[in-house]
């Protein structure tokens, strides 16, 4: 008989990185399908190209570092990074945007810091911020959701837009983004719900007036609320499977929701309520799939609560007073920066430490 000794942490069920990442990818399926339904085929193109580039970049970096390639590719960590970045950017952003972003996430944010387990920032969010700062036009060209009276481009037109930024008939992405209504073509392309509210309020309209747009439904952003609910369903699956713990999702959503409630009470004509904040943009994706990254997040349970609550607070602050309507990526990166300090002050006490002497 052999006696196996393993180092801490000691869990009743030992999971491999491969198993964890596979569950994360499976849990993302409902959200990806919802995005595909509401925003068209571009979501699929972004995913396929991002995953292919991530695997090649991962293999190349491991080869140059003289590390085993096959085990690292089999753990799916690069695939998860690519998938998170792909679902975060506009579906019909040009192909070179996701190419540059994926290479930056894998080669710079991940491998230049030492590879898996060594990066201090979430690779997907670091790449997203780099793309947003470098290519703001392409990174804000979100399509209107299908339920807002808009006919999404078909498979062939989406493919042309993805690779050439024009349809086969010669229409540009900006022209395709215009919304068809009964009275004809609207003069302004539709923005995301958070961006639309921010823009309309800055122009002097009230919150109620700004939400008369077709991109809002009975509860939150049309299409966006179902995408967030789909990612919520996937996130709950991760909780049931014990891939993640409840601390980060609950703390992030509670912090953001509480700030939204207080803001709406203080200024109901200008600031949206918790329903808009929780079911718009990348809120649920951040709460269950991004902020829960085991490498760049806090480690102790108390630290996770502080870390996630800080991210929720930062999301609300940036959305309300900053220049970026969604704010998830910036809030997560700022939270990553604070992790060493959070871990320092929330570290569990050693057994017996602090007990009074007899």
């Amino acid at each position: 008989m052999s006696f196996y000794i393993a180092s801490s942490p000691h869990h009743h069920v030992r999971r491999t990185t491969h198993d964890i990442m596979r569950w994360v990818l499976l849990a993302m399926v409902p959200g990806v399908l919802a995005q595909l339904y509401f925003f068209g085929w571009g979501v699929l193109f972004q995913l396929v190209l991002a995953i292919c580039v991530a695997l090649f970049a991962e293999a190349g970096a491991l080869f140059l570092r003289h590390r085993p390639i096959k085990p690292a590719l089999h753990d799916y960590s690069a695939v998860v990074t690519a998938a998170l970045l792909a679902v975060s950017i506009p579906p019909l952003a040009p192909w070179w945007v996701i190419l540059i972003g994926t290479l930056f996430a894998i080669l710079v944010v991940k491998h230049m810091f030492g590879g898996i387990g060594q990066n201090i920032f979430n690779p997907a969010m670091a790449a997203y911020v780099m793309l947003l700062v470098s290519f703001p036009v392409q990174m804000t060209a979100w399509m209107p959701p299908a339920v807002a009276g808009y006919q999404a481009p078909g498979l062939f037109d989406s493919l042309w837009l993805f690779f050439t930024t024009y349809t086969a008939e010669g229409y540009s992405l900006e022209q395709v983004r215009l919304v068809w209504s009964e009275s004809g073509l609207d003069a302004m392309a539709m923005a995301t719900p958070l961006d639309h509210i921010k823009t309309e309020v800055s122009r002097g309209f009230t919150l109620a007036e700004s939400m008369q747009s077709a991109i809002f439904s009975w509860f939150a952003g049309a299409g966006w609320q179902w995408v967030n609910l789909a990612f919520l369903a996937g996130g709950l699956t991760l909780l049931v499977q014990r891939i993640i713990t409840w601390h980060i999702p609950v703390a992030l959503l509670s912090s953001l929701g509480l700030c939204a409630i207080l803001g709406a009470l203080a200024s109901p004509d200008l600031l949206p309520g918790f329903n808009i904040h929780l079911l718009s943009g990348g809120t649920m994706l951040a709460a269950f799939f991004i902020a829960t990254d085991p490498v760049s997040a806090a480690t102790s349970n108390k630290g996770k609560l502080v870390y996630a609550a800080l991210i929720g607070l930062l999301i609300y602050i940036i959305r309300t007073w900053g220049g970026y309507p969604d704010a998830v990526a910036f809030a997560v990166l700022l939270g990553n920066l604070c992790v060493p300090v959070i871990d320092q002050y929330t570290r569990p006490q050693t057994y017996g430490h602090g007990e009074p002497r007899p």
Side-chain angles (χ1 to χ4, degrees), residues 33-257:
L33 292 178
Q35 278 193 322
L36 186 64
Y37 176 80
F38 288 109
F39 297 104
W41 291 99
V43 177
L44 184 61
F45 302 151
Q46 301 285 356
L47 274 169
V48 171
L49 182 57
I51 291 172
C52 291
V53 172
L55 291 175
F56 278 107
E58 182 92 344
L62 292 168
F63 175 79
L64 293 175
R65 296 177 61 206
H66 306 287
R67 300 293 179 87
I69 296 177
K70 186 176 179 180
L73 294 182
H74 192 251
D75 66 17
Y76 293 150
S77 61
V79 177
V80 169
T81 296
L84 289 175
L85 179 61
V87 299
S88 300
I89 70 173
L92 290 180
W95 65 272
W96 47 266
V97 172
I98 192 65
L99 172 68
I100 294 173
T102 306
L103 290 175
F104 182 83
I106 300 298
L107 299 179
V108 178
V109 186
K110 183 178 179 180
H111 281 284
M112 282 193 177
F113 282 88
I116 186 171
Q118 305 298 320
N119 49 285
I120 61 174
F121 297 108
N122 183 290
M125 293 299 96
Y128 179 91
V129 168
M130 183 276 295
L131 292 173
L132 185 60
V133 173
S134 303
F135 313 108
V137 175
Q138 289 79 8
M139 287 294 290
T140 54
W142 278 91
M143 308 298 293
V147 293
Y150 173 79
Q151 182 74 31
L155 176 63
F156 187 67
D157 279 335
S158 297
L159 194 63
W160 272 80
L161 283 166
F162 182 64
F163 284 106
T164 70
T165 69
Y166 289 94
T167 66
E169 293 79 14
Y171 293 106
S172 68
L173 180 59
E174 284 302 311
Q175 292 173 311
V176 172
R177 290 177 66 217
L178 296 177
V179 181
W180 184 264
S181 64
E182 293 181 359
S183 58
L185 211 57
D186 291 344
M188 182 182 299
M190 295 175 67
T192 62
L194 291 168
D195 191 25
H196 180 80
I197 290 176
K198 197 174 189 67
T199 301
E200 294 300 291
V201 168
S202 67
R203 295 173 57 193
F205 293 97
T206 65
L207 176 64
E209 291 171 339
S210 64
M211 291 184 64
Q212 296 301 313
S213 171
I215 58 173
F216 292 97
S217 64
W218 60 275
F219 192 69
W224 288 94
Q225 63 182 8
W226 298 111
V227 171
N228 274 274
L229 289 173
F231 279 119
L232 171 61
L236 294 177
T237 302
L238 295 180
L239 286 175
V240 171
Q241 293 295 323
R242 298 185 179 180
I243 303 298
I244 61 175
T245 62
W246 61 267
H247 303 81
I248 290 178
V250 170
L252 191 154
L253 296 176
S254 298
S255 175
L256 177 58

Side-chain angles (χ1 to χ4, degrees), residues 321-339:
W321 296 287
Y324 296 96
D326 197 358
V328 163
F330 290 95
V332 169
L333 294 185
L334 290 171
N336 294 158
L337 276 176
C338 298
V339 162

Side-chain angles (χ1 to χ4, degrees), residues 288-341:
F288 291 95
F289 295 91
I290 296 175
T292 53
D293 174 28
V295 177
S296 56
T299 53
S300 67
N301 289 338
K302 186 185 298 183
K304 290 177 181 178
L305 293 174
V306 175
Y307 161 78
L310 174 63
I311 291 177
L313 175 63
L314 290 172
I315 289 175
Y316 184 78
I317 291 174
I318 298 173
R319 281 180 176 180
T320 305
W321 296 287
Y324 296 96
D326 197 358
V328 163
F330 290 95
V332 169
L333 294 185
L334 290 171
N336 294 158
L337 276 176
C338 298
V339 162
V341 177

